[in-house]
Amino acid sequence: MTAVGAFNVVQIEHATAIAAGAERAGLPVVMQISENTVRYHGALEPIALAALAIARAATVPVTVHLDHATDPALVEEAVALGLTSVMYDASALPYEENVAATAAVAEHCHRAGVHLEAELGEIGGKDGVHAPGARTDPGEAAAYVAATGVDALAVAVGSSHAMRTRDAELDFALIARLRDAVPVPLVLHGSSGVPEADLVRAVAHGMRKINIATHINGHFTQALRAVLDADPSLTDPRKYLGPAREAVAAEVARLLSVLSGAVSPVVPSG
C-alpha cells in the first residue's frame, strides 16, 4: 500500500522544492497552502497562482491544495483560482453545524469538480482549538462522510500538529477500523511528529494522504542557518535560500520514496 505525501508551501521556494523533490522521486505530490500562509501573504491569489504555475510545469502529477480553510469564502476563492483540492475545516464546530457547513462547501466544490477533504475528531496542535488526545469514532466518521459527501477525511488517531519531536503514538487499530468503516481516503495530519517507521505502518493500516509541514520547515531553516552562520556577511537571499530549497527538495524526495515503499524509513537509534 502507498500514500501520497502532502507538504506545506510557505513561499515560492517551498513550492519549487516540493516539485523538484517529487520529480526526483518520480512520484506524485500535494503542495498545500494553509489558511495561515494566506494570512502571512495577505492574500491567496499570489502564492496560489505561483504554486499552480510550478505544478503545471512539473514532470510528475502535482496537486495544489488549500489546507485548513475555515472560511467558506476562501474555499470559493481557491476554486475560482483553479485549485483542484481543498480542505474545509469545520472541526471546531458542534457536530451538526460541522455537517451542515461542510455539506454546503462540498456541494460548491463538486459543482466545480474540486476534491474536498474535511476533518472529524479534533487533531492536536492547532492553536488550542483541537483537543490533544482526541480520537475519531469510526461509526461517526462513516455517518459524517455519508451526510457531507466529502472526498477524503482527516481523522484524529494520535498525531498532533507542529510537533518538533518524532514521538507521537498512533492508534493503528483505530486506523484500521476507520479504513474499514469509511468509504473515502483517510488523511493523517500532524505527521511531522510521527516516527518514519510508524508512518509506514499507518499507510499499511489505511492512511492514504500524509501531511508533513514542520519537519520540512526544520530542514529549510537548518540549511539556511548553516549558510548564514558560515558567512554572516551574506546579503544576497539567493545564497542562503538556494541551499534551504535544496534541503527541502532532497527531504521531500526521500519521504515520498519512504511512503511509496521504495526506500526504508529512518529508524532512530537508541
Side-chain angles (χ1 to χ4, degrees):
M1 294 292 184
T2 63
V4 65
F7 304 92
N8 281 38
V9 170
V10 178
Q11 73 280 313
I12 197 169
E13 284 79 13
H14 279 88
T16 52
I18 292 165
E23 289 179 330
R24 291 180 199 179
L27 292 166
V29 75
V30 178
M31 290 184 189
Q32 305 198 137
I33 301 170
S34 71
E35 189 173 84
N36 285 337
T37 290
V38 174
R39 292 194 192 100
Y40 169 75
H41 287 284
L44 172 62
E45 184 173 12
I47 190 67
L49 293 183
L52 285 167
I54 292 163
R56 289 166 182 155
T59 58
V60 294
V62 178
T63 298
V64 181
H65 170 86
L66 177 66
D67 197 38
H68 279 290
T70 59
D71 184 353
L74 184 60
V75 173
E76 292 175 8
E77 182 184 2
V79 170
L81 288 171
L83 275 68
T84 56
S85 181
V86 168
M87 185 216 176
Y88 176 60
D89 183 358
S91 63
L93 298 176
Y95 178 79
E96 294 299 335
E97 293 180 33
N98 181 338
V99 167
T102 303
V105 170
E107 183 178 357
H108 177 81
C109 287
H110 291 160
R111 283 199 302 268
V114 171
H115 177 281
L116 181 68
E117 175 187 331
E119 182 174 311
L120 182 67
E122 294 176 318
I123 299 165
K126 293 296 286 186
D127 301 326
V129 174
H130 302 255
R135 298 291 184 271
T136 301
D137 176 79
E140 188 175 65
Y144 179 84
V145 169
T148 58
V150 298
D151 305 294
L153 189 67
V155 291
V157 293
S159 59
S160 181
H161 292 92
M163 286 185 66
R164 298 183 183 181
T165 58
R166 306 193 83 171
D167 52 8
E169 296 183 5
L170 299 184
D171 187 333
F172 297 104
L174 177 57
I175 294 172
R177 289 169 57 211
L178 287 162
R179 174 202 64 207
D180 293 341
V182 177
V184 299
L186 300 178
V187 182
L188 184 65
H189 284 231
S191 302
S192 292
V194 180
E196 283 184 23
D198 285 354
L199 288 180
V200 174
R201 288 183 65 193
V203 173
H205 281 75
M207 286 293 175
R208 293 295 170 261
K209 176 171 173 273
I210 307 295
N211 288 13
I212 301 173
T214 301
H215 177 75
I216 66 164
N217 285 339
H219 279 259
F220 185 97
T221 304
Q222 185 177 31
L224 186 153
R225 183 176 287 122
V227 173
L228 291 178
D229 285 348
D231 185 358
S233 69
L234 276 180
T235 57
D236 184 346
R238 291 168 295 190
K239 299 294 186 181
Y240 49 84
L241 291 177
R245 180 178 60 188
E246 170 56 29
V248 170
E251 185 65 359
V252 165
R254 191 187 68 81
L255 287 170
L256 288 175
S257 297
V258 168
L259 295 176
S260 74
V263 302
S264 298
V266 171
V267 179
S269 59

